[in-house]
């Protein structure tokens, strides 16, 4: 059977069954989006199992094998098409998959490991073309691609010429698991502040959050991500009071370069994040340029209510179901009304 027969009789009906949308066809490939990461993975598994059955009925020289990559990430929608790193990473994951196989990102794995029964093989961090940071990836073994246990592959990267740093997810020590969104938000914001400093190489959010909850030494993290320095800390939020602790560690030599504790009112959160970024730059002997000084001094908003709602809404998108996407879109629209100059509301709505 030719490619179009497989598309018409198996692949497109399967995508429709799992409520996916074919964004576009590219030669012998498809770009498909789903409202649920679980649906995306189950659809991929169903397609590969179906292709296995079909390939058994034809000679080897006439078999067609597909590779499928599944990613969860931010995308930009324009005139029915989607763009962005979320799409680019999915494409690179497809390249890592075996013939007849499936490769997923760590974000996808975290969302499906307890909900989709399959054999998952951790292949560690993979450096791929045109993606700056390595991707933590997993292979899925279905009945069409039997699982063979192998040790995870760890990639040790060379250190950049300028000071390099990974900001690990700050621990939530508020005594309330519902505050996890807030500590994760602090981590993201500090990463953003540090990226404003051209003299520092900063690892992106999706790479560092792959280590959240894992038992691994700072030295191993540094070797895996290709950085010398690691920033870690904790967040305690109680009412209108905020305590943030942070410490900068040389992961190669295992010694502290800087540490501090900040006890402030919640409304001072942006000033604290700026101070942490400046302190890291000072500890790494990195001089800020005049325009960097200005960018660090400019908070995204002075409305704490809209900021807190923005952080809660980003967390509420997980798991990425259609219902959660609709709820989040409504919340982003509310943010735009109460704080029309805060870009978070507009950016969030465009991605739901």
């Amino acid at each position: 059977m030719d490619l179009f027969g497989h598309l018409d009789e198996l692949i497109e009906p399967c995508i429709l069954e799992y409520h996916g949308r074919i964004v576009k066809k590219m030669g012998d490939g498809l770009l498909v989006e789903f409202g649920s990461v679980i649906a995306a993975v189950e659809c991929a598994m169903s397609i590969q199992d179906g292709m296995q059955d079909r390939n058994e009925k034809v000679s080897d020289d006439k078999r067609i094998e597909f590779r499928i990559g599944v990613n969860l990430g931010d995308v930009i929608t324009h005139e029915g098409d989607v763009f962005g790193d979320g799409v680019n990473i999915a494409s690179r994951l497809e390249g890592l998959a075996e013939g007849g196989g499936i490769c997923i990102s760590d974000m996808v794995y975290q969302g499906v490991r307890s909900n989709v029964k399959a054999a998952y093989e951790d292949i560690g961090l993979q450096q791929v073309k045109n993606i700056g940071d390595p991707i933590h990836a997993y292979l899925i073994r279905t009945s069409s691609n039997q699982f063979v246990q192998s040790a995870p592959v760890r990639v040790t990267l060379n250190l950049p010429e300028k000071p390099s740093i990974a900001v690990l997810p700050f621990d939530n020590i508020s005594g309330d698991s519902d505050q996890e969104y807030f500590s994760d938000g602090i981590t993201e914001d500090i990463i953003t502040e540090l990226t404003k400093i051209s003299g520092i190489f900063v690892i992106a959010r999706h790479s560092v959050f792959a280590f959240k909850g894992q038992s691994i030494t700072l030295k191993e993290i540094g070797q895996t991500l290709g950085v010398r320095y690691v920033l870690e800390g904790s967040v305690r939020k109680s009412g209108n009071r905020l305590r943030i602790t942070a410490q900068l560690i040389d992961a190669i030599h295992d010694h502290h370069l800087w540490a501090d504790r900040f006890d402030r009112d919640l409304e001072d959160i942006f000033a604290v994040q700026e101070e942490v970024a400046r302190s890291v730059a000072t500890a790494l002997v990195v001089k800020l340029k005049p325009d960097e000084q200005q960018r660090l001094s400019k908070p995204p908003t002075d409305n704490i209510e809209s900021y807190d709602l923005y952080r809660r809404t980003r967390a509420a998108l997980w798991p990425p179901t259609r219902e959660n996407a609709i709820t989040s879109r409504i919340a982003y629209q509310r943010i735009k009304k109460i704080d029309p100059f805060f870009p978070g509301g507009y950016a969030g709505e465009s991605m739901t």
Side-chain angles (χ1 to χ4, degrees), residues 217-239:
T217 67
L218 296 183
K219 185 175 182 179
E220 290 175 310
I221 292 175
Q223 290 175 339
T224 303
L225 294 178
V227 298
R228 177 170 180 174
Y229 305 102
V230 173
L231 182 70
E232 61 178 4
S234 63
V235 178
R236 182 192 298 274
K237 179 172 173 283
S238 178

PDB file of all heavy atoms in Angstrom, residues 217-239:
ATOM      1  N   THR A 217      23.601  15.115  41.698  1.00  0.00           N
ATOM      2  CA  THR A 217      24.513  16.094  42.278  1.00  0.00           C
ATOM      3  C   THR A 217      24.644  17.315  41.374  1.00  0.00           C
ATOM      4  O   THR A 217      24.402  17.248  40.161  1.00  0.00           O
ATOM      5  CB  THR A 217      25.908  15.486  42.485  1.00  0.00           C
ATOM      6  OG1 THR A 217      26.497  15.195  41.204  1.00  0.00           O
ATOM      7  CG2 THR A 217      25.822  14.199  43.309  1.00  0.00           C
ATOM      8  N   LEU A 218      25.046  18.431  41.999  1.00  0.00           N
ATOM      9  CA  LEU A 218      25.238  19.660  41.230  1.00  0.00           C
ATOM     10  C   LEU A 218      26.350  19.485  40.199  1.00  0.00           C
ATOM     11  O   LEU A 218      26.279  20.050  39.103  1.00  0.00           O
ATOM     12  CB  LEU A 218      25.546  20.817  42.169  1.00  0.00           C
ATOM     13  CG  LEU A 218      24.439  21.218  43.151  1.00  0.00           C
ATOM     14  CD1 LEU A 218      24.876  22.431  43.970  1.00  0.00           C
ATOM     15  CD2 LEU A 218      23.146  21.524  42.419  1.00  0.00           C
ATOM     16  N   LYS A 219      27.346  18.699  40.529  1.00  0.00           N
ATOM     17  CA  LYS A 219      28.439  18.456  39.581  1.00  0.00           C
ATOM     18  C   LYS A 219      27.922  17.734  38.343  1.00  0.00           C
ATOM     19  O   LYS A 219      28.278  18.073  37.214  1.00  0.00           O
ATOM     20  CB  LYS A 219      29.534  17.639  40.247  1.00  0.00           C
ATOM     21  CG  LYS A 219      30.761  17.441  39.363  1.00  0.00           C
ATOM     22  CD  LYS A 219      31.879  16.730  40.111  1.00  0.00           C
ATOM     23  CE  LYS A 219      33.122  16.595  39.224  1.00  0.00           C
ATOM     24  NZ  LYS A 219      34.231  15.924  39.953  1.00  0.00           N
ATOM     25  N   GLU A 220      27.053  16.750  38.560  1.00  0.00           N
ATOM     26  CA  GLU A 220      26.472  16.022  37.423  1.00  0.00           C
ATOM     27  C   GLU A 220      25.594  16.934  36.579  1.00  0.00           C
ATOM     28  O   GLU A 220      25.593  16.850  35.346  1.00  0.00           O
ATOM     29  CB  GLU A 220      25.664  14.827  37.923  1.00  0.00           C
ATOM     30  CG  GLU A 220      26.508  13.701  38.519  1.00  0.00           C
ATOM     31  CD  GLU A 220      25.650  12.603  39.111  1.00  0.00           C
ATOM     32  OE1 GLU A 220      24.735  12.912  39.907  1.00  0.00           O
ATOM     33  OE2 GLU A 220      25.891  11.433  38.778  1.00  0.00           O
ATOM     34  N   ILE A 221      24.829  17.800  37.258  1.00  0.00           N
ATOM     35  CA  ILE A 221      23.982  18.747  36.523  1.00  0.00           C
ATOM     36  C   ILE A 221      24.843  19.671  35.673  1.00  0.00           C
ATOM     37  O   ILE A 221      24.554  19.924  34.501  1.00  0.00           O
ATOM     38  CB  ILE A 221      23.107  19.557  37.493  1.00  0.00           C
ATOM     39  CG1 ILE A 221      22.068  18.647  38.162  1.00  0.00           C
ATOM     40  CG2 ILE A 221      22.415  20.707  36.767  1.00  0.00           C
ATOM     41  CD1 ILE A 221      21.245  19.326  39.219  1.00  0.00           C
ATOM     42  N   GLY A 222      25.910  20.180  36.276  1.00  0.00           N
ATOM     43  CA  GLY A 222      26.810  21.062  35.546  1.00  0.00           C
ATOM     44  C   GLY A 222      27.421  20.384  34.336  1.00  0.00           C
ATOM     45  O   GLY A 222      27.497  20.966  33.248  1.00  0.00           O
ATOM     46  N   GLN A 223      27.849  19.133  34.488  1.00  0.00           N
ATOM     47  CA  GLN A 223      28.447  18.390  33.380  1.00  0.00           C
ATOM     48  C   GLN A 223      27.418  18.115  32.285  1.00  0.00           C
ATOM     49  O   GLN A 223      27.719  18.210  31.092  1.00  0.00           O
ATOM     50  CB  GLN A 223      29.034  17.078  33.897  1.00  0.00           C
ATOM     51  CG  GLN A 223      30.269  17.246  34.769  1.00  0.00           C
ATOM     52  CD  GLN A 223      30.745  15.932  35.360  1.00  0.00           C
ATOM     53  OE1 GLN A 223      29.987  14.959  35.452  1.00  0.00           O
ATOM     54  NE2 GLN A 223      31.997  15.889  35.763  1.00  0.00           N
ATOM     55  N   THR A 224      26.199  17.753  32.697  1.00  0.00           N
ATOM     56  CA  THR A 224      25.157  17.412  31.728  1.00  0.00           C
ATOM     57  C   THR A 224      24.718  18.628  30.925  1.00  0.00           C
ATOM     58  O   THR A 224      24.515  18.539  29.708  1.00  0.00           O
ATOM     59  CB  THR A 224      23.946  16.797  32.444  1.00  0.00           C
ATOM     60  OG1 THR A 224      24.357  15.643  33.184  1.00  0.00           O
ATOM     61  CG2 THR A 224      22.875  16.385  31.449  1.00  0.00           C
ATOM     62  N   LEU A 225      24.568  19.773  31.594  1.00  0.00           N
ATOM     63  CA  LEU A 225      24.093  20.982  30.922  1.00  0.00           C
ATOM     64  C   LEU A 225      25.215  21.813  30.310  1.00  0.00           C
ATOM     65  O   LEU A 225      24.949  22.741  29.557  1.00  0.00           O
ATOM     66  CB  LEU A 225      23.302  21.846  31.916  1.00  0.00           C
ATOM     67  CG  LEU A 225      21.995  21.250  32.430  1.00  0.00           C
ATOM     68  CD1 LEU A 225      21.344  22.196  33.444  1.00  0.00           C
ATOM     69  CD2 LEU A 225      21.029  20.980  31.283  1.00  0.00           C
ATOM     70  N   GLY A 226      26.442  21.473  30.649  1.00  0.00           N
ATOM     71  CA  GLY A 226      27.559  22.232  30.095  1.00  0.00           C
ATOM     72  C   GLY A 226      27.723  23.593  30.726  1.00  0.00           C
ATOM     73  O   GLY A 226      28.003  24.571  30.036  1.00  0.00           O
ATOM     74  N   VAL A 227      27.541  23.677  32.069  1.00  0.00           N
ATOM     75  CA  VAL A 227      27.702  24.937  32.784  1.00  0.00           C
ATOM     76  C   VAL A 227      28.652  24.744  33.970  1.00  0.00           C
ATOM     77  O   VAL A 227      28.797  23.635  34.482  1.00  0.00           O
ATOM     78  CB  VAL A 227      26.353  25.495  33.299  1.00  0.00           C
ATOM     79  CG1 VAL A 227      25.422  25.794  32.143  1.00  0.00           C
ATOM     80  CG2 VAL A 227      25.700  24.542  34.291  1.00  0.00           C
ATOM     81  N   ARG A 228      29.248  25.836  34.374  1.00  0.00           N
ATOM     82  CA  ARG A 228      30.145  25.771  35.533  1.00  0.00           C
ATOM     83  C   ARG A 228      29.420  26.113  36.827  1.00  0.00           C
ATOM     84  O   ARG A 228      29.732  25.571  37.878  1.00  0.00           O
ATOM     85  CB  ARG A 228      31.326  26.725  35.336  1.00  0.00           C
ATOM     86  CG  ARG A 228      32.261  26.750  36.534  1.00  0.00           C
ATOM     87  CD  ARG A 228      33.552  27.485  36.263  1.00  0.00           C
ATOM     88  NE  ARG A 228      34.417  27.484  37.435  1.00  0.00           N
ATOM     89  CZ  ARG A 228      35.656  27.951  37.462  1.00  0.00           C
ATOM     90  NH1 ARG A 228      36.185  28.469  36.342  1.00  0.00           N
ATOM     91  NH2 ARG A 228      36.373  27.927  38.559  1.00  0.00           N
ATOM     92  N   TYR A 229      28.432  27.017  36.738  1.00  0.00           N
ATOM     93  CA  TYR A 229      27.794  27.527  37.950  1.00  0.00           C
ATOM     94  C   TYR A 229      26.325  27.114  38.018  1.00  0.00           C
ATOM     95  O   TYR A 229      25.645  26.997  36.996  1.00  0.00           O
ATOM     96  CB  TYR A 229      27.907  29.050  38.012  1.00  0.00           C
ATOM     97  CG  TYR A 229      29.330  29.539  37.906  1.00  0.00           C
ATOM     98  CD1 TYR A 229      29.818  30.069  36.701  1.00  0.00           C
ATOM     99  CD2 TYR A 229      30.205  29.459  38.988  1.00  0.00           C
ATOM    100  CE1 TYR A 229      31.123  30.505  36.591  1.00  0.00           C
ATOM    101  CE2 TYR A 229      31.521  29.893  38.885  1.00  0.00           C
ATOM    102  CZ  TYR A 229      31.968  30.419  37.676  1.00  0.00           C
ATOM    103  OH  TYR A 229      33.276  30.832  37.573  1.00  0.00           O
ATOM    104  N   VAL A 230      25.864  26.918  39.246  1.00  0.00           N
ATOM    105  CA  VAL A 230      24.467  26.553  39.491  1.00  0.00           C
ATOM    106  C   VAL A 230      23.907  27.482  40.558  1.00  0.00           C
ATOM    107  O   VAL A 230      24.545  27.703  41.601  1.00  0.00           O
ATOM    108  CB  VAL A 230      24.341  25.090  39.952  1.00  0.00           C
ATOM    109  CG1 VAL A 230      22.903  24.783  40.369  1.00  0.00           C
ATOM    110  CG2 VAL A 230      24.785  24.133  38.853  1.00  0.00           C
ATOM    111  N   LEU A 231      22.737  28.045  40.284  1.00  0.00           N
ATOM    112  CA  LEU A 231      22.033  28.866  41.273  1.00  0.00           C
ATOM    113  C   LEU A 231      20.844  28.069  41.776  1.00  0.00           C
ATOM    114  O   LEU A 231      20.025  27.583  40.988  1.00  0.00           O
ATOM    115  CB  LEU A 231      21.555  30.172  40.648  1.00  0.00           C
ATOM    116  CG  LEU A 231      20.840  31.153  41.590  1.00  0.00           C
ATOM    117  CD1 LEU A 231      21.825  31.747  42.587  1.00  0.00           C
ATOM    118  CD2 LEU A 231      20.142  32.258  40.808  1.00  0.00           C
ATOM    119  N   GLU A 232      20.746  27.906  43.084  1.00  0.00           N
ATOM    120  CA  GLU A 232      19.613  27.206  43.675  1.00  0.00           C
ATOM    121  C   GLU A 232      19.096  28.023  44.845  1.00  0.00           C
ATOM    122  O   GLU A 232      19.771  28.933  45.342  1.00  0.00           O
ATOM    123  CB  GLU A 232      20.006  25.799  44.129  1.00  0.00           C
ATOM    124  CG  GLU A 232      21.092  25.760  45.185  1.00  0.00           C
ATOM    125  CD  GLU A 232      21.421  24.347  45.638  1.00  0.00           C
ATOM    126  OE1 GLU A 232      20.845  23.393  45.062  1.00  0.00           O
ATOM    127  OE2 GLU A 232      22.238  24.194  46.569  1.00  0.00           O
ATOM    128  N   GLY A 233      17.896  27.714  45.305  1.00  0.00           N
ATOM    129  CA  GLY A 233      17.333  28.484  46.412  1.00  0.00           C
ATOM    130  C   GLY A 233      15.978  27.982  46.833  1.00  0.00           C
ATOM    131  O   GLY A 233      15.548  26.888  46.452  1.00  0.00           O
ATOM    132  N   SER A 234      15.295  28.794  47.626  1.00  0.00           N
ATOM    133  CA  SER A 234      13.970  28.424  48.131  1.00  0.00           C
ATOM    134  C   SER A 234      13.101  29.662  48.233  1.00  0.00           C
ATOM    135  O   SER A 234      13.593  30.793  48.265  1.00  0.00           O
ATOM    136  CB  SER A 234      14.091  27.753  49.509  1.00  0.00           C
ATOM    137  OG  SER A 234      14.636  28.645  50.468  1.00  0.00           O
ATOM    138  N   VAL A 235      11.789  29.425  48.284  1.00  0.00           N
ATOM    139  CA  VAL A 235      10.810  30.508  48.360  1.00  0.00           C
ATOM    140  C   VAL A 235       9.792  30.171  49.442  1.00  0.00           C
ATOM    141  O   VAL A 235       9.257  29.064  49.477  1.00  0.00           O
ATOM    142  CB  VAL A 235      10.066  30.696  47.015  1.00  0.00           C
ATOM    143  CG1 VAL A 235       9.021  31.803  47.130  1.00  0.00           C
ATOM    144  CG2 VAL A 235      11.044  30.998  45.891  1.00  0.00           C
ATOM    145  N   ARG A 236       9.563  31.129  50.320  1.00  0.00           N
ATOM    146  CA  ARG A 236       8.507  31.002  51.324  1.00  0.00           C
ATOM    147  C   ARG A 236       7.583  32.202  51.193  1.00  0.00           C
ATOM    148  O   ARG A 236       8.016  33.351  51.330  1.00  0.00           O
ATOM    149  CB  ARG A 236       9.066  30.933  52.741  1.00  0.00           C
ATOM    150  CG  ARG A 236       7.978  30.761  53.821  1.00  0.00           C
ATOM    151  CD  ARG A 236       8.549  30.986  55.223  1.00  0.00           C
ATOM    152  NE  ARG A 236       9.583  30.021  55.537  1.00  0.00           N
ATOM    153  CZ  ARG A 236       9.354  28.814  56.047  1.00  0.00           C
ATOM    154  NH1 ARG A 236       8.102  28.421  56.280  1.00  0.00           N
ATOM    155  NH2 ARG A 236      10.355  28.003  56.326  1.00  0.00           N
ATOM    156  N   LYS A 237       6.311  31.950  50.918  1.00  0.00           N
ATOM    157  CA  LYS A 237       5.318  33.011  50.765  1.00  0.00           C
ATOM    158  C   LYS A 237       4.251  32.825  51.833  1.00  0.00           C
ATOM    159  O   LYS A 237       3.623  31.774  51.931  1.00  0.00           O
ATOM    160  CB  LYS A 237       4.696  32.965  49.374  1.00  0.00           C
ATOM    161  CG  LYS A 237       3.630  34.011  49.099  1.00  0.00           C
ATOM    162  CD  LYS A 237       3.246  33.968  47.621  1.00  0.00           C
ATOM    163  CE  LYS A 237       2.057  34.872  47.316  1.00  0.00           C
ATOM    164  NZ  LYS A 237       0.781  34.259  47.743  1.00  0.00           N
ATOM    165  N   SER A 238       4.069  33.839  52.631  1.00  0.00           N
ATOM    166  CA  SER A 238       3.071  33.784  53.688  1.00  0.00           C
ATOM    167  C   SER A 238       2.330  35.116  53.726  1.00  0.00           C
ATOM    168  O   SER A 238       2.887  36.143  54.140  1.00  0.00           O
ATOM    169  CB  SER A 238       3.736  33.507  55.049  1.00  0.00           C
ATOM    170  OG  SER A 238       2.774  33.489  56.088  1.00  0.00           O
ATOM    171  N   GLY A 239       1.074  35.100  53.274  1.00  0.00           N
ATOM    172  CA  GLY A 239       0.313  36.340  53.221  1.00  0.00           C
ATOM    173  C   GLY A 239       0.984  37.322  52.294  1.00  0.00           C
ATOM    174  O   GLY A 239       1.265  37.020  51.132  1.00  0.00           O
TER     175      GLY A 239
END
